Amino acid sequence: MISLLTDFGTSEPYSGIMKGAILSVNPDVTIVDITHDVEPQDIRCASYFIYAAYQFFPLKTIHVIVVDPGVGSDRSILAVCMGGHYFLAPDNGVLDLIFGENEIEKIVKVENKNYFLKPVSRTFHGRDIFAPVAAHMSKGVGIETLGPEISFNDTVRLGLLKPYRSENGELIGQVIFEDRFGNLVTNIDRTLLFQAFDNGDTDHMKLTVENNEIKGLSESYADVEPGSLLAVIGSMGFVEISVNQGRASEVCGARKDSIVKISK
Amino acid sequence: MISLLTDFGTSEPYSGIMKGAILSVNPDVTIVDITHDVEPQDIRCASYFIYAAYQFFPLKTIHVIVVDPGVGSDRSILAVCMGGHYFLAPDNGVLDLIFGENEIEKIVKVENKNYFLKPVSRTFHGRDIFAPVAAHMSKGVGIETLGPEISFNDTVRLGLLKPYRSENGELIGQVIFEDRFGNLVTNIDRTLLFQAFDNGDTDHMKLTVENNEIKGLSESYADVEPGSLLAVIGSMGFVEISVNQGRASEVCGARKDSIVKISK
Amino acid sequence: MISLLTDFGTSEPYSGIMKGAILSVNPDVTIVDITHDVEPQDIRCASYFIYAAYQFFPLKTIHVIVVDPGVGSDRSILAVCMGGHYFLAPDNGVLDLIFGENEIEKIVKVENKNYFLKPVSRTFHGRDIFAPVAAHMSKGVGIETLGPEISFNDTVRLGLLKPYRSENGELIGQVIFEDRFGNLVTNIDRTLLFQAFDNGDTDHMKLTVENNEIKGLSESYADVEPGSLLAVIGSMGFVEISVNQGRASEVCGARKDSIVKISK
């Protein structure tokens, strides 16, 4: 099975062409779109999306991520085996969140041109490299045959703003993206929050974002009045700022990159 | 086979995650997207979409509908067998149009946690309940094992505005949605129209919407001059207001919820 | 395998319904979306999309194109075998670019109602004709059984503006579409460009569009400063106008249909 996460959109034929190129090598593989609508070149957003998604796929799925501002430059392409899954992605840090959670079995730098389309264009490696390489992997080609093994320390870090504790004990993070319902997804995950609040005693927590204050952690949207702000552990495992039957982004004026503070 | 109809959009990974969760249980099932772009929480629109779509799928298809403003509350989830198809949907009336056309074989309230992901989140039942339950159904799990059988009278009605005949014999309905071509789809279907007009004698019918008057029922867009309004039985079986080579919504000023009257 | 290219969008259930209708005839066929977001009725854009895509699919793929302003009129539907692929499309010229590159094995006019849904609507031939016919083709029905063979000269031409050489030797083309990254894709392909420039000596070429002048042909976006315009052979094989880390359409003021001139 192959999953696809790109910023190609679906208005042009690019994602369809990738699928054609995959199926030309392995007509029997199942292909699943995670999304093709990552904001163009937004590596950080893609890193959260693949992190939220991969664990719900069957083991041994090959996850192909093509959010790749460096296409055509000398950036590397990585094939990685970790956590029972395979990942094929540009070496730009998009896998950082997954690296942080799993023991790495193997990382190789994809260089074996036998598995590429010929000729390789300078602008569409999704079709010319990622698609055929993933298809060959799905047919059983081991990643050790794709190129030389490299170590984690030789790969590129994204430099995510990691949530941190301030001197006075506040948990500081930020909004990663706004979903189509207007929910604001932060980079503060359940584990971090529960550590900060004595194993989950979040009844008295106070979340501040753009001069709005939200008290306590709700369990579902219906816990507050329609139109009111709430904080909730969202489906991706991160703290989200939401509004019951409304759009949090409109109610609180926060947006992507807004700073979020959580205190007791 | 499993079909998916949700309001998750395709810009975030939610629909892809649902597919991962389905394929983790049954890697061999075929998944078809009906659409993920229902307006957030628009149950009524979803009810028309699934009604228009289900009958073109193979018998025994499992249709999964997740337009679910009540997620996290105590609303029920229903598994229904009717018309040779299976449906898995929140108990919010989204199946009302299909209930109206079919003999119900069985309705159960989905409660058997053996088929759920663990833990079940409060905000993403699409992934945690709908996906794995549908996948188990596709592997042959009978709906009677999903929970207690309930009767139709114990399920929630949507309260659709049904088209009706006024005292002076007019047929009154409304616009349900505008499609991307600007066509305005009404809730008046072919059967109702033909009953009102003596088995289809629609040559002299007069449709009124927002002060526009359309005479007769056209067979195709090309029956009128470019730029002119027409009424036509659309591909979903409902009366649609269209413009030859143009957008009806712009020409006639009508939109979703506009009242439509048809008289002789 | 069946590929789908339509202007139905994905916000309504139309493309999903087509897939249901295909799978009702052949539940085992693999269906791949090229895109459903061609601008409504933009035959020219669709002709470029299918041209760019088909060659990356496995041989014998059945490519179904439903960009069909003439639906419901007396326009024909064609089934074509060429270049090792099959095509099912309205007779409106959408296949012109592919006709130009391949020897035609056979063209038939699709008329055999045995393979249509019944009844056939006037507005949704995608569901009622294209889907079931393609599905039967995928089960081995030969195109000669779909209707009478016709000759290429009896089919409709699109009347594309073909790129041409002006009297003073300039190569004149135009912008076909803008992609989501703001790249402007022209109708001047690699072959034509290299013929005009003595087998690829494009170092001194000068491209003019809306009073902007671009010198030379770049190999990748990174060849110029961030924010600067460049010309590149894009992934579809056509000359594209791009901006390194920006949107060409905003920087140079060109858009779809803008005239592009290339001179020495």
Side-chain angles (χ1 to χ4, degrees), chain C residues 79 108-112 115 133 137 141-148:
Chain C
V108 307
K109 202 167 154 177
V110 177
E111 291 184 342
N112 187 339
Y115 299 114
V133 167
M137 287 169 68
V141 168
I143 67 170
E144 66 281 359
T145 66
L146 299 175

Side-chain angles (χ1 to χ4, degrees), chain A residues 57-77:
Chain A
F57 282 78
L59 287 177
K60 300 200 176 168
T61 297
I62 300 155
H63 301 280
V64 180
I65 302 113
V66 194
V67 178
D68 189 11
V71 62
S73 72
D74 60 356
R75 67 90 184 85
S76 302
I77 294 175

Side-chain angles (χ1 to χ4, degrees), chain A residues 2-77:
Chain A
I2 292 175
S3 87
L4 300 180
L5 175 65
T6 80
D7 61 359
F8 293 158
T10 52
S11 296
E12 288 100 33
Y14 305 125
S15 65
I17 290 172
M18 273 191 74
K19 293 177 193 175
I22 289 169
L23 294 165
S24 291
V25 173
N26 183 0
D28 296 323
V29 73
T30 299
I31 305 172
V32 179
D33 299 311
I34 293 182
T35 178
H36 297 287
D37 290 327
V38 173
E39 288 284 311
Q41 316 194 338
D42 188 343
I43 300 170
R44 191 175 62 154
C45 186
S47 77
Y48 283 98
F49 282 2
I50 189 63
Y51 173 74
Y54 85 97
Q55 54 195 299
F56 294 99
F57 282 78
L59 287 177
K60 300 200 176 168
T61 297
I62 300 155
H63 301 280
V64 180
I65 302 113
V66 194
V67 178
D68 189 11
V71 62
S73 72
D74 60 356
R75 67 90 184 85
S76 302
I77 294 175

